[in-house]
Amino acid sequence: MCALRAVVCRTVCSVSKPVLRMTIHNSCVISARDCSQTGNRRNTLRWDLSPAEIRTATDSLINRVKKVYDDIGSLKIENVSTENTLKALANAKLDYASSRHVLDFPQYVCPSKEIRAASTEADKKLSEFDVEISMREDVFKRITALQEKFHEDLLPEEKRFLNRLITLGKQKGLHLSKDIQEEIKRTSKLISELSIEFNKNLNEDTTFLVFSEHELGGLADSYLNGLDKTADGRYKVTLEYPHYYPLMKRCHNPETRRKMETAFHSRCKEVNTGILEQLIQLRAKVADLLGYSSHANYVLEINMAKNANNVSDFLDTFYETLKPIGVKERKYILALKKRECLMKGLHFDGQINAWDLPYYMNQVEQCKFAVNKDKLIEYFPLDVVTEGLFGIYQELLGLAFAEVEHAHVWHENVKLYSAQDTETGEEIGQFYLDLHPREGKYGHAACFGLQPGCKGPDGKRQLPVAAMVANFTKPRKGFPSLLQHHEVETYFHEFGHVMHEICSKTMFSEFSGTLVETDFVEVPSQMLENWVWEKEPLRRMSRHYKDGTPIPDNLLDKLIASRVANTGLMNLRQVVLSKVDQTLHTSSQADSAEVFANHYKDILGVPATPGTNMTASFSHLAGGYDGQYYSYLWSEVYSLDIYFSRFKKEGIMNPKVGREYRRVILEAGGSVDGMDMLKSFLGRNPQQDSFFQCKGLIKSEETKMV
């Protein structure tokens, strides 16, 4: 079984939700009653369950699915068949995946704290049940018997599903003794509980700092106007993305930045450090019981990378290529800092601190590329970006989006859209947009798959449904929601995940949408980020919020040129986080703060802020990317190869290439190996050349992928 998987953006992103009705390019508005479900099973998701109903529905779902497993487990070995075993399991998994998310998703988005709490408890209960049914040795024996009897008679996706079930069974120790199985079960349940608690602590964090106007020097009036004030007229600054990142990039006062950086990387420090370090020990224990040398090797077995040594080699090669670039960029930043300190009469400590890095990286963009971000943001009102984004995705993928009127949603500002195939008129999926921050809401940007796009027991395709959850700045009196360019990039990225979810056409829910290898899951969404660095698409998604004028050519040219700004340091930071993750998950125990501080200093050349622990708020480590954070860099290599080899060469708005991409990559979900999809779409083995070219880095002869 699979818990709710949020595909989380690793980039810095501030995001929010649309309040005004948007005029969508090439789309219309339809009513919930008018949604055409041609050949598809409907969106049956409900968001109005009370805490009591969530508890009742959770128990009912568990009992329903358990009965199917009991029935399979009681079959005589000689009586197993594709129908009573493989298809019965597939139907139970589809029922589970289709019913579960109305229970465990509200914890991330529901305005009611009581419902969020009930949803969290449901998630814990369902996660325990996940462990229970994944440890059913009786069912495992029936599956292995089925493989021996009928393997050659199965369709390719059926074989893949059966092989996956057996691999997962072995990863749970179902081929081992009962006492080892029980120990794995107990430990796995505890891991699930702790992971949920880790992220709940972050979601519920309400820390804020108070600063005077002088302490916030350098920040635009539009930023200050969006802050709440204390009784004495000072400003309350939260640690949410729309507050934190602009301050770190723009505030002239180093002491203010130091306080914010310290607070940001101290979120839930005490409780989550304890949880994370316990998770590291428990994961290592399970891996050892199963005969793996580390948790990283355990989780990587079914990924493209296969093992921790391959990941280490990959990261080391990147580090060696990036290292000299990083040294140059640090020298330039240190010179900027020295000059500013001399000009303003500030103490120059001779080093780059963690709270200096985003500020001076922003200065590099202004000095080297002269990108006026205060001016640029005025051209990216959220409704215009959405209009352009929708138009680009529709044109490329052969889709038409329509807003569903009077849709059943979890908050009044959430919108639901229907997506239709332009050739057949078939409704292929639906998606929700929940784009602004609110209390208790998930604090990052992510796509949540809510209903899989696969065949049901009746042979009809179930309508896939996904939600994009983000935290863009809220519109306020006199100002619409205005996006920084990096937020536009985040929007394109997460919406790419949404398309992966709703275009899915698999046989089994196990392979629907983003349920691919973890180190392939970011490929489709990262590939689609490239459109926010090209002139034609940028013009389509931008207009000045006051008079509708286009971005001036000189500003557009500077923005596009700035893509290579700080590329060494930004990618080295990804190496840092990937190395931290690998170090923690190739160890049986670790001091997480020390591991982070050592890698940050050694690789990035910057000391971690004393008293902080970034890993205590590193949600990926408790959210499904444990031992797999390298996936972001790994996937970006492939995504850029796809973009430059096909789209850039044959036309970035070429619908023929776009529809081939939809068919080969998006519709296949996880029903085909990621490497096979890449080879099919590229017509050759993938390479690293495009990555290093795009980043403006030195290209070596050893950049070919093995």
Side-chain angles (χ1 to χ4, degrees):
M1 293 295 173
C2 179
L4 180 61
R5 179 174 183 174
V7 190
V8 186
C9 180
R10 96 287 187 195
T11 52
V12 172
C13 44
S14 316
V15 260
S16 19
K17 68 195 173 224
V19 173
L20 302 174
R21 182 175 304 284
M22 295 172 287
T23 304
I24 305 304
H25 175 77
N26 256 353
S27 69
C28 58
V29 177
I30 59 176
S31 73
R33 297 185 306 276
D34 294 335
C35 281
S36 161
Q37 308 287 335
T38 313
N40 290 334
R41 302 163 84 225
R42 299 183 66 84
N43 173 356
T44 57
L45 301 169
R46 285 185 58 192
W47 308 114
D48 56 356
L49 298 180
S50 67
E53 287 173 321
I54 287 174
R55 287 189 286 271
T56 301
T58 300
D59 291 339
S60 174
L61 177 59
I62 287 172
N63 292 335
R64 198 162 68 239
V65 173
K66 183 178 181 298
K67 184 181 184 308
V68 176
Y69 275 70
D70 289 344
D71 290 345
I72 295 170
S74 64
L75 287 169
K76 290 183 178 180
I77 294 291
E78 61 269 23
N79 291 339
V80 297
S81 68
T82 304
E83 198 69 37
N84 66 22
T85 304
L86 194 67
K87 289 186 178 177
L89 273 174
N91 293 338
K93 284 176 173 286
L94 174 56
D95 179 21
Y96 191 69
S98 302
S99 305
R100 175 174 182 152
H101 301 323
V102 297
L103 308 173
D104 63 6
F105 178 60
Q107 67 183 298
Y108 299 101
V109 296
C110 186
S112 163
K113 189 170 185 177
E114 290 74 21
I115 293 175
R116 291 201 304 272
S119 176
T120 300
E121 287 308 307
D123 195 7
K124 287 181 180 178
K125 197 166 190 177
L126 290 164
S127 295
E128 283 192 13
F129 180 61
D130 290 343
V131 175
E132 287 283 349
I133 55 175
S134 71
M135 300 291 295
R136 290 287 297 260
E137 186 183 9
D138 54 348
V139 175
F140 180 71
K141 285 179 178 177
R142 273 73 188 166
I143 296 167
T144 52
L146 184 70
Q147 186 184 47
E148 291 169 10
K149 279 178 75 174
F150 297 107
H151 190 262
E152 295 309 314
D153 301 328
L154 300 176
L155 296 170
E157 192 173 334
E158 290 175 329
K159 286 183 183 177
R160 184 177 179 84
F161 181 44
L162 185 58
N163 292 340
R164 175 65 57 84
L165 292 173
I166 290 172
T167 299
L168 293 175
K170 288 180 177 177
Q171 283 201 327
K172 293 297 181 183
L174 299 185
H175 58 305
L176 302 175
S177 65
K178 283 283 187 189
D179 57 333
I180 291 178
Q181 287 183 39
E182 284 304 314
E183 186 66 16
I184 290 170
K185 185 189 292 186
R186 283 194 299 271
T187 310
S188 297
K189 283 184 177 181
L190 183 53
I191 287 170
S192 292
E193 289 172 12
L194 290 170
S195 298
I196 291 167
E197 198 63 30
F198 184 101
N199 282 311
K200 180 190 174 188
N201 292 336
L202 289 175
N203 290 342
E204 299 293 339
D205 183 72
T206 56
T207 303
F208 65 88
L209 282 70
V210 176
F211 297 107
S212 67
E213 186 169 353
H214 173 72
E215 289 173 309
L216 296 176
L219 289 159
D221 288 343
S222 58
Y223 177 88
L224 298 177
N225 292 338
L227 301 175
D228 291 332
K229 286 187 177 182
T230 60
D232 62 359
R234 292 188 298 163
Y235 292 94
K236 295 167 72 172
V237 184
T238 73
L239 300 181
E240 292 174 352
Y241 283 7
H243 287 184
Y244 175 73
Y245 285 109
L247 184 147
M248 294 304 295
K249 290 181 176 186
R250 306 300 299 277
C251 183
H252 297 331
N253 191 318
E255 181 60 14
T256 301
R257 299 197 309 270
R258 186 193 67 78
K259 288 177 180 176
M260 280 295 285
E261 204 276 340
T262 301
F264 190 74
H265 286 140
S266 298
R267 286 174 297 158
C268 309
K269 186 180 75 169
E270 301 303 327
V271 62
N272 274 4
T273 295
I275 290 175
L276 176 61
E277 292 178 2
Q278 191 178 355
L279 282 171
I280 290 162
Q281 292 180 36
L282 294 171
R283 288 165 176 164
K285 177 183 175 181
V286 170
D288 183 58
L289 287 169
L290 289 166
Y292 294 88
S293 59
S294 68
H295 176 71
N297 277 325
Y298 165 63
V299 296
L300 292 171
E301 184 179 39
I302 57 174
N303 276 12
M304 295 174 77
K306 301 303 179 190
N307 59 62
N309 285 337
N310 288 339
V311 173
S312 181
D313 290 345
F314 171 77
L315 294 173
D316 287 344
T317 300
F318 258 66
Y319 174 60
E320 290 306 317
T321 307
L322 295 165
K323 186 178 178 181
I325 314 297
V327 169
K328 272 188 193 175
E329 290 177 356
R330 281 199 305 272
K331 283 181 179 176
Y332 188 80
I333 281 175
L334 198 58
L336 285 179
K337 179 177 177 179
K338 184 176 182 180
R339 185 179 70 184
E340 183 171 12
C341 287
L342 287 171
M343 286 174 60
K344 296 183 177 179
L346 300 170
H347 170 66
F348 177 63
D349 58 10
Q351 70 174 18
I352 303 168
N353 302 299
W355 58 88
D356 293 325
L357 211 50
Y359 177 74
Y360 288 106
M361 285 171 72
N362 187 59
Q363 296 261 339
V364 168
E365 290 185 45
Q366 292 179 351
C367 293
K368 283 193 170 182
F369 301 96
V371 178
N372 185 337
K373 291 193 174 179
D374 286 338
K375 189 66 180 169
L376 190 63
I377 194 174
E378 295 178 0
Y379 291 92
F380 291 116
L382 179 60
D383 59 341
V384 173
V385 174
T386 302
E387 178 184 338
L389 177 147
F390 275 26
I392 289 165
Y393 272 91
Q394 288 174 118
E395 189 173 323
L396 272 176
L397 302 179
L399 301 174
F401 303 149
E403 183 179 338
V404 179
E405 275 192 330
H406 313 300
H408 175 60
V409 294
W410 53 86
H411 187 272
E412 61 183 358
N413 292 325
V414 175
K415 304 294 184 186
L416 175 65
Y417 295 89
S418 167
Q420 292 186 331
D421 184 290
T422 53
E423 288 185 2
T424 65
E426 176 193 9
E427 182 179 34
I428 66 152
Q430 293 185 356
F431 59 90
Y432 299 92
L433 293 183
D434 184 354
L435 303 179
H436 298 289
R438 58 181 175 269
E439 187 176 344
K441 182 184 164 185
Y442 181 78
H444 303 279
C447 166
F448 293 81
L450 300 177
Q451 191 166 280
C454 59
K455 283 188 178 177
D458 57 3
K460 291 183 178 180
R461 175 176 175 263
Q462 177 170 266
L463 194 75
V465 183
M468 179 180 162
V469 177
N471 290 275
F472 297 125
T473 305
K474 292 180 181 178
R476 60 194 184 282
K477 191 174 181 181
F479 286 94
S481 174
L482 297 174
L483 304 190
Q484 298 280 358
H485 180 259
H486 70 81
E487 294 177 297
V488 177
E489 187 174 38
T490 294
Y491 200 166
F492 264 71
H493 176 99
E494 295 304 337
F495 200 76
H497 286 309
V498 170
M499 292 298 100
H500 201 177
E501 289 285 352
I502 71 165
C503 289
S504 176
K505 288 187 175 181
T506 61
M507 186 180 294
F508 301 108
S509 62
E510 196 87 355
F511 303 129
S512 178
T514 58
L515 293 178
V516 298
E517 299 103 314
T518 303
D519 48 8
F520 187 78
V521 72
E522 299 297 335
V523 170
S525 51
Q526 286 180 334
M527 198 282 294
L528 288 153
E529 289 177 19
N530 289 287
W531 272 255
V532 307
W533 294 101
E534 296 282 356
K535 248 185 181 176
E536 181 191 343
L538 279 168
R539 290 204 181 283
R540 291 177 62 168
M541 66 182 86
S542 62
R543 286 196 302 273
H544 197 279
Y545 78 97
K546 285 183 178 176
D547 56 19
T549 54
I551 301 178
D553 277 341
N554 65 330
L555 188 54
L556 201 53
D557 291 338
K558 288 171 183 175
L559 170 64
I560 293 168
S562 74
R563 186 173 193 177
V564 298
N566 305 302
T567 191
L569 290 174
M570 286 195 295
N571 285 287
L572 280 171
R573 184 176 181 276
Q574 288 300 97
V575 173
V576 169
L577 298 179
S578 302
K579 285 277 192 182
V580 167
D581 175 37
Q582 287 295 303
T583 301
L584 295 178
H585 290 110
T586 51
S587 309
S588 57
Q589 57 182 12
D591 181 330
S592 56
E594 183 180 13
V595 167
F596 176 78
N598 289 342
H599 282 302
Y600 203 65
K601 179 64 176 171
D602 293 346
I603 296 171
L604 208 55
V606 176
T609 303
T612 65
N613 182 12
M614 180 270 173
T615 63
S617 55
F618 191 4
S619 57
H620 294 74
L621 300 184
Y625 279 80
D626 41 292
Q628 302 166 92
Y629 190 83
Y630 75 93
S631 300
Y632 285 104
L633 272 176
W634 181 279
S635 297
E636 194 170 5
V637 168
Y638 296 126
S639 70
L640 287 168
D641 196 11
I642 290 172
Y643 177 69
F644 282 97
S645 300
R646 292 297 311 274
F647 286 97
K648 190 75 172 170
K649 189 177 287 184
E650 299 176 48
I652 60 171
M653 293 307 301
N654 185 328
K656 181 176 177 292
V657 182
R659 290 180 196 202
E660 184 184 349
Y661 181 75
R662 173 181 155 193
R663 178 179 56 81
V664 174
I665 306 289
L666 302 183
E667 290 182 1
S671 65
V672 180
D673 281 348
M675 185 59 73
D676 291 338
M677 282 189 267
L678 286 168
K679 289 177 181 176
S680 175
F681 188 71
L682 293 169
R684 57 161 172 77
N685 287 328
Q687 301 171 350
Q688 287 190 8
D689 298 17
S690 294
F691 178 90
F692 290 109
Q693 285 175 335
C694 175
K695 303 297 181 183
L697 301 174
I698 299 168
K699 175 180 156 187
S700 85
E701 287 302 316
E702 293 158 0
T703 57
K704 303 284 182 185
M705 292 297 291
V706 177

